[in-house]
Amino acid sequence: MKKEATFEENMKKLGEIVTELEKGEIPLEKAVELYGEGIKLSAQCKTQLADAQLKITEKGAENSSDGGME
C-alpha cells in the first residue's frame, strides 16, 4: 500500500506543476494531464488542512474543558 504524501510534499509537487504550466512550452495533452493532477493535489491539500484544523479545534476544546491544565 502506498504511503499518503504529506501536505508539504503535495504543495511542492503542486508548485512544480504550476511552474511547468506557466512556462507554456508543453503540448496541450500534457498540460491537461498536469492540470488534472494539480486539481487532485489541491483537493488533497484542502482535506489535509481541514483535518489539521479539526485536530487543533478538538485540542482547544479539550484544553478548555479541563481548565487548560495538562
Side-chain angles (χ1 to χ4, degrees), residues 14-32:
L14 189 54
E16 292 168 358
I17 289 171
V18 169
T19 299
E20 192 68 28
L21 289 171
E22 286 178 340
K23 288 180 186 176
E25 301 173 358
I26 55 176
L28 179 60
E29 187 174 308
K30 180 67 175 175
V32 170

Side-chain angles (χ1 to χ4, degrees), residues 3-45:
K3 179 188 112 172
E4 184 175 326
T6 65
F7 176 79
E8 292 78 7
E9 291 167 337
N10 284 338
M11 285 299 294
K12 181 180 179 193
K13 181 65 177 168
L14 189 54
E16 292 168 358
I17 289 171
V18 169
T19 299
E20 192 68 28
L21 289 171
E22 286 178 340
K23 288 180 186 176
E25 301 173 358
I26 55 176
L28 179 60
E29 187 174 308
K30 180 67 175 175
V32 170
E33 179 183 322
L34 287 173
Y35 180 80
E37 185 178 349
I39 294 295
K40 289 177 187 175
L41 287 168
S42 177
Q44 288 175 357
C45 287

Side-chain angles (χ1 to χ4, degrees), residues 34-62:
L34 287 173
Y35 180 80
E37 185 178 349
I39 294 295
K40 289 177 187 175
L41 287 168
S42 177
Q44 288 175 357
C45 287
K46 185 176 179 180
T47 299
Q48 288 169 320
L49 284 173
D51 289 346
Q53 183 179 15
L54 181 61
K55 287 178 186 176
I56 291 168
T57 302
E58 288 173 350
K59 279 290 183 190
E62 287 175 13

